[in-house]
Amino acid sequence: MATIYNLHSQNPQPRRIAEISNALKDGAVMLYPTDTVYAIGCDLQSKSAIKRVREIKQLSNDKPLTFCCSSLSNISEYALVTDQAYRIMKHLIPGPYTFLLPATKLVPKLVMNPKRKTSGIRVPDHVICQALLSSLDNPIISTSAHLPDIDGKLPTLGREKIRLFDNLDNLVDMIIEDDSESGSEFSTIIDLSDGEAPKIVRQGLNWESVKRWLY
């Protein structure tokens, strides 16, 4: 059974943030809120935890995993950023956007796309995410925990949030709960791996705001 941490959405308790980040450093896997949907996450540098995330999501090793960084400068440690990519991201970070970028050697092979050697990287506009990133001082894996309902829509009501917690209670080590409504839209994915032709791969939250910076 997972340990549940109730955090204030705007002023998360520092002691609990420290407890969570210490557990992540020890290889724990968590369910946590982001500025899009709830995500399953772990420390980017914990290979055993990454393997568990893949098992929970039933993802093969050739499926890349997205991870969260704290800032644009933090992204540059884990990805090769061209001048054009930098200008685009500068206008969109932080926010509900995932950027596909060429990975550096700091990105574990378990995370990146094995053929393209790219990674999906986010800088979330979310207080709890940023507090965890600051405390951990490492990027955090961020893969959607939600499964669409029959009509293809994501659950948004409180009871659906509870159902999500129930389904993952025995699979993760920690569940992070806050006092806000869970999101219902995925991030917008922008491919910046080709410096000459940036493009929107998936239209997600706030995707319309991206067009002015890409074209």
Side-chain angles (χ1 to χ4, degrees):
M1 181 175 293
T3 300
I4 297 178
Y5 288 89
N6 289 289
L7 300 181
H8 191 282
S9 61
Q10 298 303 312
N11 295 290
Q13 303 88 321
R15 180 179 297 180
R16 292 181 182 174
I17 289 292
E19 290 177 3
I20 296 167
S21 65
N22 286 335
L24 292 174
K25 290 176 183 177
D26 289 336
V29 174
M30 66 176 175
L31 174 65
Y32 69 110
T34 73
D35 53 350
T36 54
V37 298
Y38 255 82
I40 300 170
C42 65
D43 186 337
L44 180 69
Q45 301 305 327
S46 176
K47 292 183 180 180
S48 61
I50 292 173
K51 289 179 180 178
R52 285 183 56 201
V53 171
R54 285 194 174 279
E55 290 172 359
I56 293 170
K57 287 282 291 184
Q58 299 181 1
L59 295 174
S60 60
N61 288 338
D62 62 346
K63 298 294 184 181
L65 291 171
T66 295
F67 59 89
C68 293
C69 284
S70 59
S71 64
L72 181 51
S73 60
N74 191 209
I75 285 181
S76 65
E77 298 179 50
Y78 296 90
L80 302 175
V81 181
T82 64
D83 290 342
Q84 182 185 39
Y86 180 88
R87 287 193 295 271
I88 292 171
M89 290 190 292
K90 185 178 180 181
H91 291 292
L92 299 174
I93 287 175
Y97 308 104
T98 297
F99 304 100
L100 301 183
L101 294 161
T104 68
K105 293 182 180 180
L106 290 180
V107 179
K109 292 182 179 180
L110 279 172
V111 173
M112 70 176 70
N113 184 310
K115 293 182 179 180
R116 300 185 64 201
K117 306 299 183 184
T118 57
S119 290
I121 306 178
R122 296 195 57 210
V123 177
D125 187 12
H126 194 276
V127 174
I128 290 176
C129 288
Q130 287 292 343
L132 289 172
L133 287 165
S134 177
S135 180
L136 181 64
D137 199 27
N138 265 338
I140 295 174
I141 293 294
S142 179
T143 181
S144 167
H146 287 275
L147 295 175
D149 287 337
I150 295 174
D151 60 2
K153 296 181 180 179
L154 290 169
T156 58
L157 299 177
R159 65 177 181 273
E160 298 293 354
K161 187 175 178 180
I162 293 173
R163 187 178 70 174
L164 177 65
F165 289 1
D166 289 342
N167 288 341
L168 292 171
D169 185 40
N170 292 320
L171 299 176
V172 299
D173 303 301
M174 300 179 290
I175 293 176
I176 315 303
E177 166 71 296
D178 65 7
D179 51 2
S180 64
E181 183 76 13
S182 60
S184 61
E185 292 186 68
F186 293 115
S187 65
T188 291
I189 299 178
I190 307 165
D191 190 346
L192 299 176
S193 60
D194 181 352
E196 299 301 321
K199 59 183 178 182
I200 298 175
V201 176
R202 181 178 72 192
Q203 295 180 358
L205 187 60
N206 291 356
W207 74 271
E208 298 93 343
S209 302
V210 177
K211 292 185 292 183
R212 62 178 295 193
W213 305 115
L214 294 190
Y215 311 114

